[in-house]
Amino acid sequence: MDAVITTVQSTLTRHQNEKRALIAILQDIQAEYNFLPREALEFVAKSLGVPLIDVIGVATFYRAFSLKPRGRHLVTVCLGTACHVRGGPKILSEFVKKLAISPGDTTKDKHFTLETVACLGCCAIGPVVVVDGNYYAHTTIRKVDSIVRKYAKKRVKK
Amino acid sequence: MIELKLNGLNVKAEEGWTLLETARFYGLEIPTLCYNEGLSVFGGCRLCLVEIGEGPKARLVSSCTYPAEEGLVVRTDTKRVIEARRMMIELMVSIAPNSKKIQDLASKFNVTQVRFKVRNEECVLCGLCVRMCAEQMDGRAIGFQNRGYKKKISTPFDLRSEECRQCGGCIYICPVCQLRCQGPEADTTLCNACLTMDPTCLDHYDELQCWMYDAGRCGTCVREK
């Protein structure tokens, strides 16, 4: 786990070990690892002189941070009111079936993470599915398969 | 000195006092749960609500966080205030019916029904233990985690914290886990056994008609009922 410490150390140096940069530091670590490793959080707390519990309070407060390892592709299904009435839950259950994971979990091969969100603010194009920042408007159950296939692992040709 | 109006009386408060401190100085008993003299204020339990201002501009504020202001009109026992307090107690009973402190409050404020799903969570997120740990014990072993309905109080990673010296301060100050109420059963939720107080004058007037209620001695008019 020394590799984590080294990476985090360089992130901290980039932010001059400033307490006020805590969120920015966590964002950098999240970008690097796709989640916040425990060692990284402990090291950040120690280096900044911030109680560990406060670092964790921040890390658990924001949805952008995850304490569990996330997959390479983040699938977010909107379940806000507008998307809900247009069939958001059905699309979610289709993803659950296709990926064989429940919301909040990651596939075993660490390829997909499935998450739900309460509203993305673009209700007009609902039901919305977001994969890695790409929006899929007016999603239907039929479109789920093509979305999954688009991001599925590229098969190595033999 | 700051001059303000408290329940129709002109009173004086010292610079820096909150409304709660002012009211308590004049002998008014405003209920609190998340407030403790030795800790910073939190304003979370909303039991100390009082009404400030007059007419349509009147609004409810938490007296433990609101500073005494010059010329402020404060009423501590209007119908609106007491109804709001009752609602807060009802909500808290539904979360932690085994807390004697909360059951006592329910009895005292005549909360006779719980219309919410009983959750038996044993934590009302009053934050007393978090502040106790950080401010009095200099520990910082526990804190709030997550957000919204997932919010909870725990140690980092839910493991025993290195900062924790097992002083027990958090348990000592907890309104839920220290004193247990044996009264409520699965079908009743509310205990209401220890004491019941109901200011009957509220049925006829918008405000309490005497100060006895705040002193915790609302008497005859209640018992006649």
Side-chain angles (χ1 to χ4, degrees):
Chain A
M1 273 299 139
D2 287 342
V4 174
I5 304 285
T6 321
T7 320
V8 174
Q9 182 59 61
S10 70
T11 309
L12 285 166
T13 320
R14 201 159 59 243
H15 290 281
Q16 283 137 30
N17 271 310
E18 292 235 41
K19 271 186 202 176
R20 61 174 184 194
L22 176 62
I23 291 178
I25 291 166
L26 294 183
Q27 277 174 329
D28 287 356
I29 300 170
Q30 171 87 27
E32 178 77 28
Y33 293 102
N34 245 346
F35 81 110
L36 300 175
R38 187 175 156 184
E39 298 79 16
L41 290 176
E42 283 167 351
F43 188 70
V44 166
K46 220 166 91 186
S47 310
L48 296 185
V50 177
L52 179 60
I53 190 69
D54 289 354
V55 175
I56 289 180
V58 171
T60 55
F61 186 88
Y62 295 102
R63 278 290 297 273
F65 300 129
S66 169
L67 295 189
K68 276 196 292 184
R70 273 183 184 162
R72 242 157 297 172
H73 300 291
L74 177 63
V75 182
T76 314
V77 181
C78 182
L79 291 181
T81 316
C83 292
H84 182 95
V85 295
R86 289 182 183 180
K90 280 183 190 163
I91 288 161
L92 179 66
S93 63
E94 188 66 18
F95 270 109
V96 168
K97 224 168 20 181
K98 280 260 147 45
L99 301 175
I101 46 169
S102 49
D105 286 351
T106 305
T107 50
K108 261 190 194 148
D109 58 1
K110 299 259 192 291
H111 201 68
F112 284 108
T113 296
L114 183 61
E115 276 188 0
T116 63
V117 69
C119 186
L120 292 161
C122 50
C123 306
I125 60 165
V128 186
V129 172
V130 187
V131 186
D132 297 343
N134 299 318
Y135 283 67
Y136 293 91
H138 305 297
T139 321
T140 55
I141 294 175
R142 282 184 191 167
K143 287 184 186 168
V144 169
D145 194 46
S146 69
I147 294 172
V148 171
R149 253 187 291 147
K150 197 172 168 187
Y151 290 91
K153 248 185 226 170
K154 294 209 173 79
R155 295 241 171 82
V156 186
K157 281 175 188 168
K158 277 177 187 171
Chain B
M1 292 297 250
I2 303 162
E3 281 185 38
L4 61 142
K5 217 166 188 173
L6 186 61
N7 284 356
L9 285 180
N10 291 315
V11 298
K12 282 178 183 170
E14 260 174 49
E15 203 75 44
W17 276 9
T18 61
L19 292 182
L20 181 70
E21 284 167 317
T22 314
R24 289 210 166 150
F25 179 79
Y26 284 95
L28 293 175
E29 211 174 88
I30 293 177
T32 53
L33 188 87
C34 74
Y35 175 83
N36 187 292
E37 274 180 18
L39 303 173
S40 60
V41 291
F42 187 61
C45 71
R46 315 310 285 180
L47 285 183
C48 66
L49 288 174
V50 294
E51 200 170 357
I52 59 165
E54 280 170 306
K57 279 194 170 175
R59 61 195 180 103
L60 296 178
V61 295
S62 58
S63 63
C64 68
T65 54
Y66 204 93
E69 279 171 5
E70 187 68 40
L72 198 69
V73 179
V74 185
R75 279 157 302 151
T76 64
D77 291 298
T78 60
K79 209 168 195 167
R80 194 175 162 198
V81 167
I82 286 180
E83 269 168 17
R85 280 182 195 156
R86 274 201 191 136
M87 177 57 86
M88 293 318 298
I89 295 168
E90 195 178 327
L91 285 162
M92 284 193 284
V93 171
S94 77
I95 297 171
N98 287 319
S99 158
K100 175 152 168 55
K101 212 161 177 178
I102 294 171
Q103 287 287 355
D104 281 354
L105 282 166
S107 305
K108 196 167 175 186
F109 289 89
N110 203 33
V111 175
T112 51
Q113 56 176 346
V114 174
R115 292 161 291 183
F116 305 101
K117 201 180 150 201
V118 180
R119 292 195 282 167
N120 280 313
E121 267 175 33
E122 326 245 308
C123 179
V124 290
L125 297 172
C126 68
L128 276 171
C129 54
V130 176
R131 282 173 286 150
M132 184 73 170
C133 187
E135 292 165 22
Q136 290 290 345
M137 301 307 176
D138 200 20
R140 297 181 183 276
I142 48 174
F144 290 107
Q145 286 175 26
N146 300 327
R147 177 169 49 130
Y149 69 97
K150 283 185 180 165
K151 194 172 180 180
K152 62 167 185 179
I153 293 173
S154 185
T155 52
F157 308 107
D158 296 338
L159 301 169
R160 195 182 168 284
S161 169
E162 280 171 32
E163 316 255 346
C164 177
R165 301 189 303 272
Q166 295 189 304
C167 66
C170 46
I171 300 167
Y172 166 78
I173 204 155
C174 178
V176 177
C177 58
Q178 214 216 355
L179 274 171
R180 309 291 288 185
C181 177
Q182 308 296 332
E185 282 154 26
D187 54 333
T188 55
T189 314
L190 274 167
C191 173
N192 273 340
C194 300
L195 72 163
T196 301
M197 298 250 298
D198 187 22
T200 45
C201 49
L202 278 183
D203 295 339
H204 307 284
Y205 305 98
D206 251 8
E207 278 177 65
L208 275 183
Q209 295 302 297
C210 67
W211 285 49
M212 294 298 281
Y213 181 71
D214 295 299
R217 287 187 285 275
C218 180
T220 48
C221 28
V222 177
R223 269 168 220 137
E224 270 170 28
K225 194 178 166 189

